[in-house]
Amino acid sequence: MSASPLTPLDYIAEGYWQDFLAERSIAGGIAYETELRACTLDESLESLQRVDTLLSQVRRDMIKSGMWDEMTLLVDERYRNFMVFLAFYAGRVLAQQWQNKPHWYGQFELRKRYPELTLITDDFYQHMAVGYDNDGVKERLFFALEPIGLRLFGHIDRQFDAVQGGQVESGLYQAVSLRLPTILSNDVHSVSELTSNKVAINKITTHKATTHQVADSGNPSADSNTHVGTSQLNAHLNKPEEVSIGAEHNLANVVPPESESSIKPELTKVAQPTAKPTSPVKNTSTPEMFTQLLVELDEIAVPQPTGDVQYQQARKVLDQFEQHIAKQNKPRRQVIFSDDHIAAKNKALLLLQAAAEDGNTAAMLRLAMYELLGEGLTADSDNQKNLA
């Protein structure tokens, strides 16, 4: 099957990456550029965990500074560049795991190639998607902006529904991991069985925040500097016939999709990657959203004047359980404990409940997490969810 011709977004994605590697500025600037470089973007799956941590930090920073407003941030070109760059990067990592090269589509191309998709024209997170698993006409798609938006802005009143159905994953690492060849060929219910609880956890993390290289050698133009801001990017996401990428890397000769078969140049080759081959990803013992919550609980800035003694006592015990569970290569519900261990855990949960009743917000959040996991003190699952 012949390779799909390049699209304008393919050139832009490659330009973003090459500019980042060469430490050249992207037109309009990019927010958190220093922190991005500190994430060590080596195109590994592990780097996406570092990116997710950075996204959580950006969210906390915005909340603390009083600028946590989605619409305001989406019109700020530096933040838009930040999100678009991370989407391009996640697509690059995913395609490499498939030993392929990413192939990007704007809404114009998506509507033409995938008419079955219901796309909202003015939804920023649906503006582009990457095909990653083959060079055919109907490769799988990944809307990489969706988990980025959820990580930054998701909460109980701001739900993110995936274009392709279901709910959006809670981070780039989870989203990419669920699309790996080794995952798609196996039963992944153990990883995604609690996705229906994402909305509740988004509310929890929002409440908490409120209260407290493996560089490819190729380049479409080796000597050119592809500066592309999101203003230029958005100019053609729905109108590829009006592509403009700057004087130094002009794509005036790029043919619109109607005759795109004439496009011949190639981007970086990934068919025979120099990076290590795809490795299987362990089943997530604890859903990533809960793991992230445990990390962020330690960063609550608001003092806890009540219930702190009980909370710290409970935390010591429960942390030991979490450390043990994290080491298991099996779904959380399949980890077996002795009766003595279960009794110790229940005692810790009682302390946690006492601290929560005293008004300790950290205890409230952690207790809600266990209820949503089905491991709380209430017996009935509906009661657990309502209590959480």
Side-chain angles (χ1 to χ4, degrees):
M1 188 174 293
S2 60
S4 300
L6 300 179
T7 69
L9 276 181
D10 288 330
Y11 286 97
I12 295 176
E14 183 70 7
Y16 267 58
W17 181 241
Q18 295 300 333
D19 283 345
F20 184 80
L21 295 182
E23 299 188 7
R24 294 189 294 257
S25 298
I26 294 173
I30 183 169
Y32 286 86
E33 182 174 357
T34 300
E35 290 81 359
L36 266 177
R37 297 190 181 281
C39 287
T40 312
L41 302 185
D42 55 7
E43 301 181 71
S44 67
L45 285 172
E46 291 74 17
S47 69
L48 296 179
Q49 293 178 312
R50 298 190 287 269
V51 168
D52 283 340
T53 299
L54 174 59
L55 287 170
S56 295
Q57 181 61 51
V58 173
R59 178 184 177 122
R60 290 193 295 271
D61 289 348
M62 290 190 297
I63 291 173
K64 290 178 181 178
S65 63
M67 59 180 292
W68 189 52
D69 180 78
E70 185 175 3
M71 292 301 102
T72 299
L73 267 295
L74 287 182
V75 298
D76 187 320
E77 190 168 14
R78 295 178 64 252
Y79 280 91
R80 288 171 69 90
N81 278 337
F82 172 71
M83 288 184 272
V84 168
F85 174 82
L86 289 181
F88 284 150
Y89 178 71
R92 189 179 190 90
V93 172
L94 178 57
Q96 179 169 280
Q97 292 292 319
W98 283 85
Q99 297 188 16
N100 213 318
K101 60 184 178 183
H103 200 55
W104 286 93
Y105 304 104
Q107 272 204 1
F108 184 93
E109 293 108 337
L110 288 170
R111 293 181 190 279
K112 180 180 178 181
R113 297 171 66 93
Y114 301 89
E116 68 276 11
L117 291 177
T118 303
L119 298 172
I120 302 174
T121 301
D122 59 353
D123 190 326
F124 172 72
Y125 309 103
Q126 298 181 13
H127 274 189
M128 62 188 199
V130 62
Y132 54 86
D133 63 335
N134 60 54
D135 292 327
V137 176
K138 289 293 184 180
E139 69 266 65
R140 294 182 180 89
L141 292 177
F142 174 36
F143 286 81
L145 285 170
E146 291 179 335
I148 296 172
L150 175 61
R151 195 80 172 190
L152 289 174
F153 304 111
H155 55 86
I156 191 65
D157 295 321
R158 175 59 174 107
Q159 301 180 28
F160 281 73
D161 295 321
V163 173
Q164 296 169 293
Q167 290 184 308
V168 176
E169 293 83 11
S170 63
L172 287 174
Y173 177 77
Q174 183 188 36
V176 170
S177 295
L178 290 174
R179 289 169 172 80
L180 297 182
T182 53
I183 294 297
L184 292 178
S185 62
N186 296 319
D187 181 8
V188 295
H189 294 303
S190 61
V191 179
S192 58
E193 62 185 346
L194 288 174
T195 54
S196 61
N197 291 327
K198 287 180 181 176
V199 173
I201 283 300
N202 285 334
K203 181 178 181 181
I204 292 171
T205 54
T206 301
H207 171 69
K208 174 194 69 67
T210 304
T211 59
H212 48 267
Q213 187 154 43
V214 180
D216 294 325
S217 59
N219 192 338
S221 179
D223 297 325
S224 60
N225 184 358
T226 311
H227 297 282
V228 187
T230 50
S231 57
Q232 294 113 311
L233 175 67
N234 294 327
H236 71 71
L237 283 172
N238 298 312
K239 301 178 181 179
E241 68 275 14
E242 299 177 5
V243 178
S244 174
I245 301 189
E248 293 184 274
H249 195 74
N250 196 320
L251 289 185
N253 295 325
V254 173
V255 183
E258 287 76 9
S259 58
E260 63 183 4
S261 60
S262 63
I263 302 176
K264 299 297 183 183
E266 293 185 4
L267 295 181
T268 304
K269 297 289 186 181
V270 190
Q272 296 179 347
T274 57
K276 60 184 180 181
T278 302
S279 57
V281 176
K282 292 182 178 180
N283 288 332
T284 306
S285 297
T286 302
E288 187 272 344
M289 67 187 97
F290 296 120
T291 302
Q292 182 65 26
L293 176 59
L294 289 177
V295 173
E296 294 183 356
L297 276 173
D298 293 333
E299 301 178 4
I300 294 179
V302 178
Q304 303 290 322
T306 58
D308 193 55
V309 174
Q310 297 100 313
Y311 173 70
Q312 295 301 334
Q313 291 176 343
R315 175 186 166 185
K316 288 181 180 179
V317 176
L318 295 171
D319 280 351
Q320 293 180 36
F321 278 88
E322 293 304 323
Q323 290 166 11
H324 175 75
I325 293 172
K327 296 177 182 178
Q328 308 305 305
N329 187 20
K330 62 176 69 173
R332 183 183 181 98
R333 64 183 179 184
Q334 293 181 11
V335 179
I336 300 175
F337 295 101
S338 68
D339 291 341
D340 288 342
H341 286 149
I342 294 174
K345 184 176 181 179
N346 287 337
K347 183 177 180 180
L349 288 172
L350 286 171
L351 286 171
L352 202 63
Q353 185 178 55
E357 291 173 351
D358 284 345
N360 187 287
T361 56
M364 294 178 189
L365 292 169
R366 187 152 185 166
L367 188 62
M369 184 193 82
Y370 283 114
E371 295 293 347
L372 287 171
L373 284 170
E375 300 175 12
L377 294 170
T378 55
D380 181 77
S381 59
D382 290 334
N383 287 338
Q384 288 175 333
K385 294 178 181 179
N386 291 334
L387 179 59

